Amino acid sequence: MSKALEKDFLDLLKEKASYEEALGLMFWDMRTMAPKKAISNRSEVIGMISQKVHQITTSDQMKAYIEELEGNTDNEIIKKAVEKSKESYERSAKIPAEEYKEYVMLQSNAEAVWEEAKEKNDFESFQPYLEKLVAYNQKFARYWGYKNHIYDALLDNYEPGVTVAVLDEVFPKVRKSLSGLLEKIQRSSSKPDPSVLQGHFPKEKQEKFSLEILDRMGYDFQAGRLDETVHPFAIGLNTNDVRVTTKYDEKDFRTAVFGTIHEGGHALYEQNINPELAFTPLADGTSMGIHESQSLFWENFIARSEAFWENHYDLFKSYAPDSFSTLQLAPFYKAINEVKPSYIRIEADELTYPLHIMVRYELEKALIAGNIKVQDLPELWNDKMEEYVGIRPRNNAEGVLQDVHWSGGSFGYFPSYALGYMYAAQFYSRMEKDIDFDKVIRAGDFTSIKEWLTENIHQYGSIKKPLEILSDVTGEQLNPDYLVNYLKEKYRKIYQF
Amino acid sequence: MSKALEKDFLDLLKEKASYEEALGLMFWDMRTMAPKKAISNRSEVIGMISQKVHQITTSDQMKAYIEELEGNTDNEIIKKAVEKSKESYERSAKIPAEEYKEYVMLQSNAEAVWEEAKEKNDFESFQPYLEKLVAYNQKFARYWGYKNHIYDALLDNYEPGVTVAVLDEVFPKVRKSLSGLLEKIQRSSSKPDPSVLQGHFPKEKQEKFSLEILDRMGYDFQAGRLDETVHPFAIGLNTNDVRVTTKYDEKDFRTAVFGTIHEGGHALYEQNINPELAFTPLADGTSMGIHESQSLFWENFIARSEAFWENHYDLFKSYAPDSFSTLQLAPFYKAINEVKPSYIRIEADELTYPLHIMVRYELEKALIAGNIKVQDLPELWNDKMEEYVGIRPRNNAEGVLQDVHWSGGSFGYFPSYALGYMYAAQFYSRMEKDIDFDKVIRAGDFTSIKEWLTENIHQYGSIKKPLEILSDVTGEQLNPDYLVNYLKEKYRKIYQF
């Protein structure tokens, strides 16, 4: 009887996963292939099928399976799938259906309003939407419950196990170290010259180079493809269909090269999840933070390293000889690692990036706790930027309005970017004990790295929680020292201090 | 209360249509974009969602709506949607769920077996599958019921209103006329020289020409796109997203040019259905035959006409000057209209094409009636080909195994190709009374033609039945004389008899 029950439970999960795969394909198609006029009908279809997914997640049937199977199965996958389904059930079922529906509508309207507000540098038009979004998130956080801080309930959506208490200990430490580092860098007389990177790089050549790098990373093109979009992303429809997109800027190759490698890191994660988890909620990366650790690992620890370019610089130049044939490796390497405070998070360098995240974290936490008001955000944002990054945005488009996340009601998401970066540094340090990292990178054969990541991280999908993976792999809890040391080491050489 | 009921009914139809749109996108993606390894998981998703569609079609809920709304609504769209839903309900509900499931599995296995059998010219491996498929179709036909001939029950799936009695009257007449015409053509001393069409035509140039012709036809690229596939098709995901595919043969431009225009004809139908029918079962072409009338109208009546090439020949040559710059229009026009009996239906000329259909019709009818056996098909096929088309296939790959339809259990489908051709000739004759056809074509502005088709045919979607459209537009029933006269007229000039 229990076997039959397990089968029925898996069937329900499969139905849900099938809808999610269809939704994933529609999402991808809308951003890559769909003709313009298709969007409005397609949005309705997406709305209908999303509602179906929500219904299954919160169904009495799902509840019954969870209750009957919890603590009552020998099958490890089913056990974990029950846990995960229970979490989703509880999160969703605690929100009254009517409120959820209103919230979904608010989200979809708010994103359009935000887009226009950003374009017109007009915070006031977005303000009432943001106020409602914050209010809903406060309400949801109370429905979900929390022990210490209301913001913990939101963090738990993206990085289960990480709390305000953890972040309030870690972030200030990191900030202090990075600020000190930034000062040294700014005082250095050995500055990179980023102008050497200017030069025309034809789109088709950037595409070829991107494809070649993805291939070398071990990305499986029989289980994926590369396309072009305005906002690059990676999406796993299933482990055998993980698609990557990138963006080409003919005047600045960095957008495509580092963007592709970043998304490729996400994609490798999804491609290498244990296929036995297919059609269960475990067949995805376990958290935003762990996902980001993979993309940043490839983008920064590998692709911005000296060893990487020692191997790949000739290949790179062969695709754009007109612009780079006379440029030497050393100034090239220094230029792609220039540190310079800037307004826009997604354009930030490796060092100031975490500071951007901390600005958002402090504001989100205070907003959700009701300690600051939405109307004061623009000023508070600029003050924090000045305090943390050292520059003051000149307008809201390059300030508080720059990111899409809040318009979608995603509060608690930003910290995972910084957490992912710290995880990546911890994995990197651990990996160096198993693999002669620089040597492998210099040889241009990433097989052992890919295998290490698959073995230690990728294969598990969502079987393990993020902090569980971290401690299983590194034997430690979250420890920001690894990131700080990595950055110190790296920039000491580049800026010679 | 009735209004609320109508709303609930439309919601259920919308749910079904949403799944169908998702299925359509997955189908398109599998044939154009999906990486190789994606297929196996995707097939499971397609199976799951198709089952959902089948469940809705045959649900008690659907039955209740049909019963309550039938003859009980003022809304014309709802009335027609109830009719259409009732037909689907009855067709599907009459087949026991278990048998339907077995049949779906048989279909999907049979197609793979057929593909290999065709490749290896091995009918025997396919025979047991075909026997089962025939047996299922006989069984289904009995479930569905019929008045006169068992094959009528299958015909009704594709061309409601058309029966064996109709076809047995029309087809022999057409065959007799076409055979007479074919004799005259074969005796003619004024033969086209198809060798003049040989010449390299780069793929990118064929693509550009195809895009330009689609644009001129009035195909809306903001509501569609053109891609390349092994087997070209058009697919309407919704009226604002109707995609076309084609195939490029650098040694024979005819594949892409006439193929694109053919699929473009299908696509114009789907793009111009009244948008108010969206998310109902009426938002599709009304039958296979009417659909084919649209594609053949554009492919043959327009794109193989002298007037069309008088306008477009210079444009055509500008895309492949190396191969065609010295070729005159007259021999070109004659060559693209060469009549020559051949083995493969999809490569047949305008005149022998209907004869290929009649071979299949006679065999299908006899098979389903139990008058012939599957094991005798190869010989019977070759005999009929010799009798109707005048040539005897040398093997089963170019004989009985050539088409995919039977492997999918599609019996009763083939006649719609010939019916579509006859409809097209009837529409053509009627259109000539409203529009100075040759003049419009020669001017290269197809607006009035597209508007005529939209006004008379496209806008209705499935609101009208095929024979209803035919009689509303032409004031006549099915009449094969128009096709015969069109072909006589056309080939008399080309072959000068």
Side-chain angles (χ1 to χ4, degrees):
Chain A
M1 183 247 158
S2 176
K3 285 290 153 214
L5 192 72
E6 288 179 1
K7 165 95 174 51
D8 291 345
F9 173 59
L10 289 176
D11 281 348
L12 188 64
L13 293 184
K14 187 168 184 174
E15 189 181 336
K16 184 179 162 188
S18 296
Y19 294 136
E20 285 169 336
E21 184 163 327
L23 287 170
L25 182 63
M26 287 190 269
F27 174 90
W28 174 85
D29 182 70
M30 289 230 285
R31 275 151 188 82
T32 53
M33 302 290 162
K36 199 177 157 189
K37 291 183 185 170
I39 308 300
S40 111
N41 276 37
R42 189 69 28 82
S43 300
E44 292 197 52
V45 171
I46 288 174
M48 209 291 302
I49 298 184
S50 302
Q51 204 184 328
K52 210 76 206 169
V53 170
H54 186 252
Q55 279 170 14
I56 294 175
T57 307
T58 59
S59 63
D60 292 342
Q61 191 60 67
M62 183 66 85
K63 190 181 173 201
Y65 289 138
I66 293 167
E67 282 169 358
E68 294 191 57
L69 288 168
E70 200 176 12
N72 200 15
T73 174
D74 313 325
N75 181 315
E76 190 61 17
I77 290 177
I78 291 182
K79 193 179 140 204
K80 293 288 179 180
V82 169
E83 269 176 35
K84 185 98 185 159
S85 301
K86 190 180 175 186
E87 287 162 22
S88 305
Y89 176 83
E90 291 188 342
R91 287 223 149 237
S92 302
K94 282 179 180 167
I95 299 176
E98 203 47 44
E99 280 181 37
Y100 180 75
K101 212 171 151 184
E102 284 162 19
Y103 180 63
V104 171
M105 277 175 59
L106 173 64
Q107 280 175 315
S108 95
N109 293 328
E111 189 170 327
V113 172
W114 162 76
E115 215 168 295
E116 210 182 312
K118 181 180 171 183
E119 211 181 289
K120 296 186 177 161
N121 187 28
D122 169 23
F123 180 76
E124 278 174 27
S125 65
F126 182 50
Q127 186 185 315
Y129 290 85
L130 191 50
E131 282 166 351
K132 279 184 206 152
L133 287 161
V134 169
Y136 270 109
N137 272 273
Q138 290 170 324
K139 214 193 255 187
F140 294 170
R142 283 189 290 267
Y143 288 143
W144 293 326
Y146 51 88
K147 270 194 201 147
N148 298 309
H149 195 288
I150 183 170
Y151 187 68
D152 288 348
L154 302 180
L155 275 175
D156 203 54
N157 265 329
Y158 304 99
E159 213 56 22
V162 174
T163 59
V164 166
V166 171
L167 295 180
D168 280 351
E169 197 197 321
V170 167
F171 279 180
K173 264 199 216 169
V174 175
R175 185 163 77 84
K176 210 179 144 209
S177 303
L178 297 189
S179 297
L181 212 46
L182 186 56
E183 263 178 52
K184 283 186 188 159
I185 284 170
Q186 288 177 323
R187 277 202 310 266
S188 161
S189 58
S190 170
K191 291 224 164 61
D193 173 10
S195 74
V196 302
L197 301 180
Q198 282 164 18
H200 185 76
F201 201 138
K203 185 176 142 173
E204 315 80 62
K205 296 296 171 75
Q206 289 194 43
E207 189 186 3
K208 281 192 178 141
F209 183 64
S210 299
L211 289 168
E212 193 152 347
I213 297 293
L214 278 178
D215 188 47
R216 289 183 179 208
M217 285 169 70
Y219 175 79
D220 181 356
F221 279 98
Q222 297 219 311
R225 48 179 292 133
L226 176 67
D227 296 279
E228 189 183 356
T229 51
V230 181
H231 302 289
F233 62 90
I235 186 167
L237 304 175
N238 61 58
T239 56
N240 283 314
D241 192 354
V242 183
R243 306 183 185 190
V244 173
T245 74
T246 193
K247 185 180 163 179
Y248 303 103
D249 179 346
E250 298 206 323
K251 290 191 202 119
D252 190 346
F253 68 86
R254 288 174 294 183
T255 306
V257 170
F258 295 111
T260 305
I261 295 169
H262 181 97
E263 301 307 334
H266 283 302
L268 280 183
Y269 191 178
E270 297 280 325
Q271 280 190 339
N272 293 294
I273 290 171
N274 179 356
E276 282 176 34
L277 305 179
F279 296 120
T280 78
L282 307 170
D284 271 321
T286 190
S287 73
M288 299 311 307
I290 297 291
H291 237 302
E292 203 65 15
S293 79
Q294 298 309 296
S295 51
L296 289 175
F297 183 80
W298 284 95
E299 182 191 350
N300 292 343
F301 294 78
I302 295 180
R304 291 191 204 269
S305 73
E306 202 162 8
F308 179 84
W309 289 105
E310 277 173 29
N311 182 301
H312 290 87
Y313 193 51
D314 283 343
L315 180 70
F316 169 83
K317 289 202 289 188
S318 75
Y319 282 110
D322 293 350
S323 299
F324 299 105
S325 59
T326 61
L327 178 62
Q328 296 299 305
L329 176 58
F332 172 87
Y333 170 68
K334 282 185 74 166
I336 61 167
N337 282 297
E338 191 203 18
V339 171
K340 193 181 174 188
S342 61
Y343 303 111
I344 305 296
R345 175 183 62 87
I346 55 168
E347 293 166 5
D349 56 77
E350 276 188 83
L351 192 146
T352 57
Y353 187 85
L355 303 173
H356 286 262
I357 299 304
M358 292 172 204
V359 168
R360 287 153 180 76
Y361 166 65
E362 295 296 340
L363 295 174
E364 281 193 350
K365 188 176 58 171
L367 263 181
I368 298 297
N371 297 335
I372 60 172
K373 282 184 181 150
V374 168
Q375 65 184 45
D376 299 326
L377 266 184
E379 278 306 295
L380 292 169
W381 178 286
N382 294 348
D383 293 346
K384 271 271 173 254
M385 276 294 289
E386 214 170 341
E387 186 188 348
Y388 285 12
V389 187
I391 52 174
R392 188 173 190 89
R394 297 153 298 187
N395 58 56
N396 292 327
E398 66 182 24
V400 69
L401 287 173
Q402 69 182 266
D403 279 318
V404 67
H405 304 59
W406 290 348
S407 79
S410 302
F411 297 92
Y413 187 130
F414 280 118
S416 22
Y417 290 118
L419 289 164
Y421 204 4
M422 291 185 250
Y423 298 156
Q426 291 186 256
F427 294 145
Y428 169 70
S429 161
R430 180 63 190 78
M431 192 190 280
E432 278 192 311
K433 290 180 189 155
D434 298 328
I435 294 174
D436 188 342
F437 196 78
D438 273 8
K439 194 177 151 197
V440 160
I441 303 283
R442 206 172 284 116
D445 179 357
F446 305 114
T447 315
S448 59
I449 292 177
K450 187 193 145 197
E451 279 171 2
W452 191 97
L453 293 170
T454 296
E455 174 74 19
N456 286 287
I457 301 163
H458 299 172
Q459 62 161 325
Y460 296 107
S462 299
I463 289 267
K464 295 184 180 184
K465 298 283 172 206
L467 295 181
E468 191 182 351
I469 288 198
L470 186 67
S471 71
D472 284 359
V473 175
T474 67
E476 279 192 76
Q477 292 307 305
L478 183 64
N479 183 343
D481 294 346
Y482 293 96
L483 176 63
V484 170
N485 290 337
Y486 156 76
L487 291 171
K488 260 188 201 156
E489 194 64 27
K490 174 164 187 170
Y491 290 113
R492 201 196 324 258
K493 283 187 201 152
I494 294 172
Y495 283 89
Q496 300 175 6
F497 51 81
Chain B
M1 182 249 160
S2 175
K3 285 290 153 212
L5 192 72
E6 288 179 0
K7 166 90 176 51
D8 291 346
F9 173 59
L10 289 176
D11 281 350
L12 188 63
L13 294 184
K14 188 169 183 173
E15 189 181 336
K16 184 179 162 189
S18 296
Y19 293 136
E20 286 170 334
E21 185 163 326
L23 287 169
L25 182 64
M26 287 190 267
F27 175 90
W28 174 84
D29 184 69
M30 288 229 286
R31 275 151 189 82
T32 53
M33 301 289 162
K36 199 176 156 191
K37 290 183 185 169
I39 306 300
S40 109
N41 277 37
R42 188 70 25 84
S43 301
E44 292 197 53
V45 171
I46 288 175
M48 208 291 302
I49 299 185
S50 302
Q51 205 184 328
K52 210 76 205 169
V53 169
H54 186 251
Q55 279 169 12
I56 294 176
T57 307
T58 58
S59 63
D60 293 341
Q61 191 59 67
M62 183 66 85
K63 190 181 174 202
Y65 289 138
I66 293 166
E67 283 169 358
E68 294 190 58
L69 287 167
E70 200 177 14
N72 201 14
T73 175
D74 313 325
N75 181 315
E76 189 62 16
I77 291 177
I78 292 182
K79 194 179 137 200
K80 293 287 179 180
V82 169
E83 269 177 33
K84 186 96 186 162
S85 301
K86 189 180 176 186
E87 288 162 22
S88 304
Y89 176 83
E90 292 189 339
R91 285 223 150 239
S92 301
K94 281 178 180 168
I95 298 176
E98 204 45 46
E99 280 182 36
Y100 179 75
K101 212 170 150 186
E102 285 163 20
Y103 180 63
V104 170
M105 279 175 57
L106 174 63
Q107 281 175 314
S108 94
N109 293 328
E111 191 171 327
V113 173
W114 162 77
E115 216 168 293
E116 210 183 313
K118 182 181 171 182
E119 210 180 289
K120 296 189 177 159
N121 189 27
D122 169 22
F123 181 77
E124 277 173 29
S125 65
F126 182 49
Q127 185 184 317
Y129 290 86
L130 191 50
E131 281 166 353
K132 279 183 206 152
L133 288 161
V134 169
Y136 270 111
N137 272 273
Q138 291 170 324
K139 215 192 256 187
F140 293 171
R142 283 189 291 268
Y143 289 144
W144 292 327
Y146 51 88
K147 270 194 198 147
N148 298 309
H149 195 288
I150 183 170
Y151 186 69
D152 288 348
L154 302 180
L155 275 175
D156 204 54
N157 265 327
Y158 304 99
E159 213 56 23
V162 173
T163 60
V164 166
V166 171
L167 295 179
D168 280 351
E169 198 199 317
V170 166
F171 278 180
K173 264 200 215 169
V174 174
R175 185 164 77 84
K176 209 178 143 207
S177 302
L178 297 188
S179 297
L181 211 47
L182 186 56
E183 262 178 54
K184 282 184 188 161
I185 284 170
Q186 287 177 323
R187 277 202 311 268
S188 161
S189 57
S190 169
K191 291 222 163 65
D193 174 10
S195 74
V196 302
L197 302 180
Q198 282 165 17
H200 185 75
F201 201 139
K203 187 175 139 173
E204 314 81 63
K205 297 297 172 78
Q206 289 194 44
E207 189 185 4
K208 282 193 178 141
F209 184 64
S210 299
L211 289 168
E212 192 152 348
I213 296 293
L214 277 178
D215 188 45
R216 289 183 179 210
M217 285 169 71
Y219 175 79
D220 182 355
F221 279 98
Q222 297 218 311
R225 47 180 293 132
L226 175 67
D227 295 279
E228 189 182 358
T229 51
V230 182
H231 302 289
F233 63 90
I235 186 167
L237 305 174
N238 61 58
T239 57
N240 283 315
D241 192 355
V242 183
R243 306 183 184 190
V244 173
T245 75
T246 194
K247 185 181 164 179
Y248 303 103
D249 179 345
E250 298 207 322
K251 291 192 203 119
D252 189 347
F253 67 87
R254 289 174 294 183
T255 306
V257 171
F258 295 111
T260 305
I261 295 170
H262 181 97
E263 301 306 335
H266 283 303
L268 280 183
Y269 190 0
E270 297 279 326
Q271 280 190 337
N272 292 293
I273 290 171
N274 179 357
E276 283 177 33
L277 305 180
F279 295 121
T280 78
L282 308 170
D284 269 322
T286 188
S287 73
M288 299 311 307
I290 297 290
H291 237 304
E292 202 65 14
S293 78
Q294 298 308 296
S295 51
L296 289 174
F297 184 81
W298 285 95
E299 182 190 350
N300 292 342
F301 293 80
I302 296 181
R304 289 190 206 271
S305 74
E306 204 164 4
F308 179 84
W309 289 104
E310 277 174 28
N311 182 300
H312 291 88
Y313 192 50
D314 283 344
L315 180 70
F316 170 83
K317 288 202 291 188
S318 75
Y319 283 110
D322 293 351
S323 297
F324 298 105
S325 60
T326 61
L327 178 60
Q328 296 300 304
L329 176 59
F332 172 87
Y333 170 68
K334 284 184 73 168
I336 61 167
N337 281 296
E338 191 202 16
V339 171
K340 193 178 174 190
S342 61
Y343 302 113
I344 305 296
R345 176 183 61 86
I346 56 167
E347 292 166 7
D349 55 76
E350 277 188 82
L351 191 146
T352 58
Y353 187 85
L355 303 172
H356 286 263
I357 299 305
M358 292 172 205
V359 168
R360 287 153 179 77
Y361 166 65
E362 294 296 340
L363 296 174
E364 283 194 348
K365 188 175 61 172
L367 264 181
I368 298 297
N371 298 334
I372 61 173
K373 282 184 180 148
V374 168
Q375 65 183 47
D376 300 325
L377 265 184
E379 277 308 293
L380 291 169
W381 177 287
N382 293 349
D383 293 345
K384 271 271 174 257
M385 276 295 288
E386 212 169 346
E387 186 188 347
Y388 285 12
V389 187
I391 53 174
R392 191 173 186 89
R394 296 152 300 187
N395 59 55
N396 292 329
E398 64 182 24
V400 68
L401 287 173
Q402 70 182 262
D403 280 317
V404 67
H405 304 59
W406 290 348
S407 79
S410 301
F411 297 91
Y413 186 132
F414 280 118
S416 26
Y417 290 118
L419 290 165
Y421 204 4
M422 291 185 249
Y423 299 156
Q426 292 186 253
F427 293 146
Y428 170 69
S429 162
R430 181 63 191 78
M431 191 190 281
E432 278 193 309
K433 290 180 188 154
D434 297 327
I435 294 174
D436 188 342
F437 196 79
D438 272 9
K439 196 178 150 195
V440 160
I441 303 282
R442 205 172 286 116
D445 178 357
F446 304 115
T447 315
S448 58
I449 292 177
K450 186 194 147 199
E451 280 172 2
W452 192 97
L453 294 169
T454 297
E455 173 74 19
N456 286 287
I457 301 162
H458 299 171
Q459 61 161 324
Y460 296 107
S462 299
I463 288 268
K464 294 184 180 184
K465 297 283 170 202
L467 296 180
E468 193 183 349
I469 288 199
L470 187 66
S471 71
D472 283 358
V473 175
T474 66
E476 279 192 77
Q477 292 307 306
L478 181 65
N479 183 342
D481 294 347
Y482 292 96
L483 176 62
V484 170
N485 290 337
Y486 156 77
L487 291 170
K488 259 187 199 155
E489 193 64 27
K490 174 166 188 170
Y491 289 113
R492 201 194 327 256
K493 283 187 201 152
I494 294 172
Y495 282 90
Q496 300 176 6
F497 49 80

